[in-house]
Amino acid sequence: MELLRQMKELTQLRGISGCEDQVREYLIQRIAGHCDSYEVDNMGNLIVHKKGKRAPEKKVLFSAHMDEVGFIITHITPEGMLHFETVGGVTPAVTAGRPVLVGEQAIPGVIGTRPVHLITEEERKEYAKIEDMRIDIGAKDKAEAEKLVSPGDQATFIGPWKELGENSILARAIDDRAGCALLLGMLQGELEYDCTFAFVVQEETGCAGSKAVAFSQRPDIAVTVESTTAGDLPTAPDGRQVCRVGAGPVISFMDKGTIYPWDLYQKAVKIAEDAGIPWQTKEGVFGGNDARSYVSSAGGAKVLAVSLPVRYLHSANTLVNKADIHHARQLLDLLAKELPRG
């Protein structure tokens, strides 16, 4: 399946917020011959225009972000260890002991902290703090480390693509390379109406890229295609599971950044149900995405969020369901036929 192949390739590219170049170049290569025009703006957003069979009554924009969470190097110690800060929402629980790649040369390293033998009983009750961790690249001292790494270099999780059973995929950076793959698939097909597609930067650090796109493109309707946290785990109470892997794409009514227009939310739900597409809503007000930019920037836009339910979000290994990906693509294709009508 082409969608899964391109998604696999996208998840293996490196690109924390502000370092999305690899992802953008991949997308530019694969939209060739499938669009009428594209541009890269001053921030690095990739904006693509594709004509359909008809002109739309409403300008519709589909958006996904290219960046992933990760780390940035801030200091090198005399011993050759690397201090770092998080880029985006990464918690200590998923950080210590993880292998990473550092800098443009993709130097392998590991995030280290004091071992269990060297901490007190009290310290064992809590996760180590990020500021107490270091990245170890095996350098003997600062001089050797400086030949390979500099402050400001990105560091990214390592996480190979693996299929678990018949239905699940485990990979790094599904948030939001899956969204990029879904939009790429739409671009490579035919459209009923003209649409605009935005592959945006810096979502994980405050949605800066989408603010610029909202201002320059000024859509009437913006559909954010995302990955969202699925908490369907044995320890999670029913009211805190948010959404469930395998239950279909998620259509949100509200999150921490956006209240989605009720009429547009209901329209998306009806489109899904009329087509027999499984769907679910986000059961709780959590998280946020680029919709907050589109709803409030320039003249504003009506917004919709269609997300894949993903377990273990913002970690080295995130899990998504193949059927959810397939049903999300079906729903997006129908939205591209219906929303431009107004």
Side-chain angles (χ1 to χ4, degrees):
M1 184 179 180
E2 185 69 4
L3 174 58
L4 290 182
R5 185 186 68 79
Q6 292 185 144
M7 180 177 157
K8 177 180 179 179
E9 291 173 351
L10 281 161
T11 61
Q12 296 308 297
L13 301 175
R14 303 173 62 224
I16 63 169
S17 304
C19 300
E20 300 92 348
D21 307 61
Q22 288 185 21
V23 183
R24 183 173 54 250
E25 290 307 311
Y26 175 95
L27 292 167
I28 288 173
Q29 290 176 17
R30 280 152 185 81
I31 62 174
H34 299 288
C35 67
D36 293 277
S37 66
Y38 74 86
E39 59 191 285
V40 178
D41 69 12
N42 290 335
M43 287 198 67
N45 299 303
L46 173 61
I47 303 164
V48 187
H49 304 280
K50 182 178 177 69
K51 287 191 176 297
K53 299 174 184 175
R54 291 184 266 180
E57 294 182 27
K58 297 290 185 180
K59 182 176 181 178
V60 178
L61 179 145
F62 291 89
S63 177
H65 68 89
M66 296 183 286
D67 59 317
E68 63 182 285
V69 298
F71 313 96
I72 193 165
I73 307 306
T74 58
H75 175 72
I76 302 175
T77 71
E79 298 80 19
M81 297 285 188
L82 312 180
H83 286 254
F84 63 91
E85 289 287 345
T86 59
V87 177
V90 187
T91 65
V94 301
T95 304
R98 295 293 181 182
V100 291
L101 297 175
V102 184
E104 292 185 2
Q105 300 181 60
I107 303 301
V110 63
I111 299 175
T113 186
R114 286 186 297 154
V116 65
H117 316 82
L118 301 180
I119 60 177
T120 66
E121 287 294 330
E122 198 63 29
E123 288 173 324
R124 294 186 190 190
K125 298 176 183 178
E126 299 180 357
Y127 290 111
K129 297 181 175 61
I130 294 289
E131 57 262 35
D132 294 331
M133 299 181 191
R134 303 289 182 269
I135 294 177
D136 186 346
I137 59 171
K140 65 180 180 181
D141 55 27
K142 183 174 183 177
E144 185 171 86
E146 286 179 329
K147 294 177 182 177
L148 302 170
V149 179
S150 300
D153 281 346
Q154 66 169 318
T156 54
F157 283 126
I158 298 173
W161 175 281
K162 294 181 180 179
E163 297 195 19
L164 303 184
E166 295 183 1
N167 301 314
S168 297
I169 294 167
L170 195 69
R172 62 182 299 282
I174 288 174
D175 178 20
D176 186 30
R177 306 291 164 67
C180 292
L182 286 165
L183 266 57
L184 180 58
M186 294 173 72
L187 274 163
Q188 291 169 336
E190 292 188 354
L191 294 177
E192 188 68 25
Y193 292 94
D194 305 353
C195 288
T196 301
F197 297 82
F199 300 91
V200 304
V201 299
Q202 298 184 39
E203 188 271 351
E204 299 292 2
T205 51
C207 302
S210 53
K211 292 174 185 175
V213 172
F215 189 84
S216 68
Q217 300 304 306
R218 305 195 178 213
D220 296 305
I221 300 171
V223 181
T224 300
V225 183
E226 259 285 10
S227 302
T228 194
T229 300
D232 52 342
L233 301 168
T235 55
D238 186 59
R240 302 286 290 183
Q241 291 189 3
V242 188
C243 59
R244 296 157 185 83
V245 169
V250 179
I251 306 172
S252 299
F253 54 80
M254 182 177 175
D255 56 42
K256 287 291 186 181
T258 308
I259 299 174
Y260 297 89
W262 188 245
D263 60 334
L264 192 56
Y265 170 81
Q266 288 181 309
K267 185 178 183 71
V269 168
K270 187 176 188 306
I271 288 170
E273 291 186 342
D274 286 351
I277 298 171
W279 72 279
Q280 57 186 315
T281 197
K282 197 169 182 176
E283 297 177 358
V285 180
F286 305 99
N289 55 56
D290 285 312
R292 69 178 70 185
S293 299
Y294 295 114
V295 77
S296 60
S297 298
K302 300 194 80 168
V303 291
L304 184 70
V306 176
S307 306
L308 291 172
V310 178
R311 291 186 193 138
Y312 324 122
L313 213 65
H314 289 193
S315 72
N317 296 283
T318 53
L319 185 143
V320 70
N321 180 274
K322 293 180 184 178
D324 289 339
I325 299 169
H326 172 69
H327 291 133
R329 174 61 194 276
Q330 286 183 314
L331 178 57
L332 291 169
D333 285 343
L334 291 174
L335 290 172
K337 290 181 180 179
E338 296 294 331
L339 297 185
R341 293 181 180 183

